[in-house]
Amino acid sequence: MEPFVFFGGKGGVGKTTVSCAYARKCAEAGVDTLVVSTDPAHSVSDVFDQQFGDVPEPVDGVDGLDALEIDPEDEVTAHLDDIRNRLSDQVSAAMVNEINKQLEMAHQTPGAYESALFDRFVEVMKQSDPYDRVVFDTAPTGSTLRLLGLPEFLEDWVDRLMHKRRQSIDLFEKAAIGNNEPRRVMDGDPVLARLQERKEFFEFAGGALRNDAAFFLVLNPDQLSVNETDRAIGDMAEQGLPVRGLVANKLTPAPDDEENGRGARYLRDRIETEAERLDQVRESLDAPLLAEIETRTREVKGDLLGEVADELAVDTDVEAPTFVAGSAGD
Ligand SMILES: Nc1ncnc2c1ncn2[C@@H]1O[C@H](COP(=O)(O)OP(=O)(O)OP(=O)(O)O)[C@@H](O)[C@H]1O
Ligand SMILES: [Mg+2]
């Protein structure tokens, strides 16, 4: 089992619940674990009834488990601020205004959100040394994963940009008259360094996700959720990232045999429909159904989380991380 584990799925299916249950299960099996949430609703804090933030903190009452809650909105702002700062160093004052306007617009695009989160995921993966296992309560979506195709694409592009940049610096060096310092020098050129850094960043991300990560999808036993899961499995496979297994959550519990009132009949009908959906999952989806978790009568936290963890037949074995943290792009 790889050090990085992702639980994806449609809104509300139970990603956060299942991630926390799994993380707790790992910790109880003696695997030092960090659970990472990107939920603006701070659900991990809810599940453990404890406030978490931007730095990992130990979860009370669960030895060997830390939690980290990333705020996506803060990430986008930080991400764009970073771009702004880097650019402002390199362009004229007149350009800074224009850049600010463009960045404001970039803030509104859906891609900005995903790409900022993706960057943060990768940062967490790079700094995961103290842990045997990092559980992410959201999997990157198809469009985020397309970023992984970038290193190969970037390779060529970066090489060409670097070549142009070197030519331009060379001209600046030649144009420097007498003892004047040229305005640009090759050594430590910030643009070249930044391009190289981004290339290595995506290379690291691709390597970590392909070699050191396992992806699971959470679904509910209804048609929409099954269809969506089928599509997600296809999207992931296209990026060379197979889905390891599926977790069906919120299954209707069975009434006792002797019960035969309206409620019991409703539950039996409902169970029959769900069984058909799950058969469909087993027969036609390209990933094994690993666990089936029943709906509880209240939100899953505290002791209930332990119960759900027991129903979660997803392996907690861990292999030592094969990457060297901080080796790329830092
Ligand atoms: N097996 C279950 N029994 C009862 N309630 C559940 C179960 N699984 C999840 N829930 C509840 O359903 C709600 C949604 O679950 P959760 O937050 O885990 O979903 P999510 O996929 O992370 O949602 P989002 O997409 O909004 O992040 C929560 O209130 C949670 O407590
Ligand atoms: Mg969630």
Side-chain angles (χ1 to χ4, degrees):
M1 178 61 114
E2 288 72 7
F4 306 124
V5 175
F6 290 83
F7 288 96
K10 214 160 63 81
V13 289
K15 296 178 293 294
T16 304
T17 304
V18 169
S19 305
C20 291
Y22 178 70
R24 178 179 155 148
K25 199 172 142 132
C26 290
E28 282 169 353
V31 176
D32 275 332
T33 302
L34 171 70
V35 59
V36 183
S37 149
T38 57
D39 203 327
H42 301 292
S43 316
V44 169
S45 294
D46 271 2
V47 170
F48 292 112
D49 237 335
Q50 188 184 336
Q51 196 56 50
F52 297 104
D54 204 41
V55 283
E57 268 171 62
V59 175
D60 294 339
V62 190
D63 275 350
L65 179 61
D66 286 2
L68 166 69
E69 214 153 50
I70 296 169
D71 187 321
E73 194 54 42
D74 288 354
E75 281 314 307
V76 178
T77 308
H79 192 68
L80 294 177
D81 281 349
D82 181 48
I83 297 176
R84 193 192 329 264
N85 290 339
R86 285 169 190 276
L87 286 176
S88 308
D89 288 346
Q90 291 153 32
V91 298
S92 65
M95 283 285 286
V96 171
N97 254 343
E98 189 51 35
I99 287 171
N100 280 338
K101 263 192 259 163
Q102 297 285 339
L103 285 175
E104 252 350 284
M105 274 159 63
H107 200 147
Q108 313 301 327
T109 59
Y113 190 90
E114 286 195 311
S115 118
L117 267 189
F118 184 75
D119 268 31
R120 188 69 170 91
F121 274 1
V122 178
E123 285 303 330
V124 172
M125 291 199 279
K126 272 186 175 179
Q127 291 158 15
S128 63
D129 241 8
Y131 304 99
D132 300 321
R133 159 75 37 80
V134 185
V135 181
F136 293 88
D137 105 341
T138 315
T141 60
S143 58
T144 320
L145 288 175
R146 274 186 270 285
L147 289 170
L148 292 182
L150 274 177
E152 287 106 75
F153 168 77
L154 274 179
E155 185 101 52
D156 218 39
W157 184 68
V158 168
D159 285 347
R160 262 181 293 150
L161 280 178
M162 285 178 140
H163 177 68
K164 287 228 176 304
R165 183 73 182 172
R166 285 200 188 90
Q167 279 180 329
S168 130
I169 293 174
D170 190 45
L171 286 176
F172 272 106
E173 285 179 345
K174 286 192 176 120
I177 300 165
N179 287 334
N180 287 347
E181 282 284 309
R183 243 185 72 204
R184 288 180 188 164
V185 289
M186 208 75 78
D187 253 2
D189 178 64
V191 176
L192 287 178
R194 178 66 179 153
L195 287 170
Q196 189 60 33
E197 203 180 289
R198 286 309 280 172
K199 198 172 108 175
E200 284 169 9
F201 183 87
F202 284 118
E203 267 163 5
F204 168 85
L209 292 182
R210 292 209 170 82
N211 307 322
D212 301 318
F215 298 91
F216 297 91
L217 294 175
V218 183
L219 60 100
N220 295 152
D222 61 69
Q223 196 68 64
L224 261 183
S225 184
V226 173
N227 294 349
E228 168 81 19
T229 306
D230 195 17
R231 263 197 304 276
I233 294 174
D235 275 356
M236 304 276 300
E238 239 173 64
Q239 301 302 322
L241 304 170
V243 172
R244 189 72 57 97
L246 307 173
V247 176
N249 184 34
K250 300 197 186 178
L251 271 58
T252 301
D256 288 339
D257 282 348
E258 64 279 6
E259 284 179 75
N260 220 349
R262 194 163 154 251
R265 290 201 304 278
Y266 167 84
L267 290 181
R268 287 197 187 96
D269 279 355
R270 180 72 217 153
I271 289 169
E272 203 174 308
T273 314
E274 292 176 2
E276 282 170 24
R277 301 292 169 266
L278 293 183
D279 280 345
Q280 190 189 344
V281 167
R282 285 190 203 92
E283 281 157 23
S284 63
L285 264 53
D286 252 350
L289 181 60
L290 298 178
E292 296 173 31
I293 298 169
E294 285 188 353
T295 303
R296 298 328 205 250
T297 48
R298 55 186 174 84
E299 292 78 17
V300 181
K301 17 166 118 180
D303 290 346
L304 267 188
L305 190 68
E307 268 184 36
V308 167
D310 289 341
E311 286 178 33
L312 193 58
V314 178
D315 230 345
T316 57
D317 280 357
V318 70
E319 280 168 19
T322 52
F323 59 92
V324 182
S327 64
D330 261 358

